[in-house]
Amino acid sequence: MLLTIILTAITMTVIVAVRYLAVSGIFAWITQRVKPGHYDGQSAQIGREIRWSLYSTAIYGVPTGVLAWGYTNHGWTMVYADASAYPLWYMPVSVLLYLALHDTWFYWTHRWMHRPKWFRIAHAVHHDSKPPTAWAAMSFHPVEALTGTVVIPALVLTIPIHTTMLGLVLFIMTLMAVTNHMGWEIFPRWLVHGPLGKWLITATHHHRHHKEYRCNYGLYFRFWDRICGTDKGLTNWEDRAFPGATEKTGIPAE
């Protein structure tokens, strides 16, 4: 049994790593095609982003593998495959519920990571991407990766979700993690600057966090930023200056 769990954990880690390399690689390729030279001079940074991200894949992959084993062999989770087990209307509701709870957890742990001690210990790794690239989506110190890896396991253990809806949640997680760090906006202006964009986070919103540090902490939605007064609006893409930061505080250098 132990060997099976270990093999499942290793397999899931490999899957997470391949997914990261494939998706980030695709969007890095799109960047090169759409904005040639956009990542010029960032080779060393990209190397660090990939290295830290691959460390993170193990931290994400191992508990996911253990849960996958438990789901298959003991029905540990609340994931269900029978579409009739719950009303059909619950499917989209479960997706929104997962995203809202994940966003809430991320907002508050992200703000915590900006406290001087924890920024210095862990979050500085992620902010070492200046500016971020498509490879920075999982570029976390192991301590920060651990704060992120508990979310989906906790949700699947407590909140029912259909297998296809869980797949959709994971797809949205991956898509937004990569596109929010591309260093340019891939989504259309009508979405980013329209009514929907006032509540959704895309690169134009998150990039400002990487420039100014103490604002725009959300993951999917601008809800918590808005009610907590930390929403500083969208990036001015014409301003290409990207200040450094003191490792101790995470405040942009003067």
Side-chain angles (χ1 to χ4, degrees):
M1 182 180 72
L2 180 59
L3 178 60
T4 303
I5 295 174
I6 292 172
L7 290 175
T8 305
I10 292 172
T11 300
M12 192 58 66
T13 298
V14 171
I15 290 172
V16 174
V18 170
R19 183 187 67 179
Y20 158 73
L21 292 170
V23 177
S24 289
I26 287 169
F27 281 100
W29 177 82
I30 291 173
T31 299
Q32 184 59 33
R33 298 286 294 180
V34 175
K35 293 183 173 293
H38 194 67
Y39 294 157
D40 283 358
Q42 292 184 268
S43 297
Q45 175 185 307
I46 289 171
R48 292 193 301 271
E49 291 171 345
I50 293 173
R51 184 175 71 252
W52 284 111
S53 293
L54 291 178
Y55 294 155
S56 296
T57 62
I59 294 172
Y60 284 105
V62 169
T64 303
V66 172
L67 270 183
W69 175 86
Y71 167 75
T72 303
N73 293 278
H74 300 286
W76 281 356
T77 73
M78 299 291 286
V79 178
Y80 63 95
D82 182 1
S84 64
Y86 290 85
L88 289 179
W89 60 259
Y90 177 71
M91 286 192 179
V93 169
S94 66
V95 172
L96 292 174
L97 185 59
Y98 268 56
L99 295 178
L101 290 173
H102 188 190
D103 186 72
T104 299
W105 174 265
F106 182 89
Y107 177 86
W108 290 106
T109 56
H110 192 185
R111 285 193 66 171
W112 171 64
M113 280 287 171
H114 275 265
R115 296 178 67 89
K117 174 183 176 180
W118 292 105
F119 187 93
R120 183 176 64 252
I121 290 172
H123 197 49
V125 166
H126 188 64
H127 275 280
D128 193 36
S129 295
K130 298 181 289 204
T133 76
W135 298 102
M138 295 178 65
S139 182
F140 304 124
H141 185 280
V143 170
E144 182 168 4
L146 284 170
T147 69
T149 195
V150 302
V151 180
I152 297 302
L155 290 175
V156 299
L157 286 169
T158 55
I159 300 176
I161 190 167
H162 191 269
T163 51
T164 57
M165 296 300 99
L166 178 59
L168 178 59
V169 168
L170 295 175
F171 171 79
I172 293 171
M173 284 175 56
T174 303
L175 178 68
M176 295 191 73
V178 176
T179 57
N180 285 356
H181 290 91
M182 289 176 66
W184 61 283
E185 185 58 74
I186 195 171
F187 292 107
R189 183 177 178 85
W190 62 262
L191 187 153
V192 176
H193 294 273
L196 196 58
K198 292 180 179 179
W199 295 101
L200 292 179
I201 292 174
T202 65
T204 307
H205 186 268
H206 188 66
H207 194 77
R208 187 162 185 175
H209 170 76
H210 276 263
K211 292 184 71 172
E212 300 182 24
Y213 288 67
R214 290 189 169 179
C215 64
N216 297 14
Y217 294 104
L219 178 61
Y220 304 118
F221 310 115
R222 295 171 65 174
F223 172 78
W224 285 109
D225 275 313
R226 283 179 173 272
I227 68 171
C228 293
T230 55
D231 193 316
K232 296 295 181 67
L234 305 180
T235 297
N236 174 13
W237 291 110
E238 299 302 316
D239 178 12
R240 296 186 176 273
F242 211 89
T246 60
E247 187 182 50
K248 182 177 180 181
T249 64
I251 302 172
E254 296 293 331

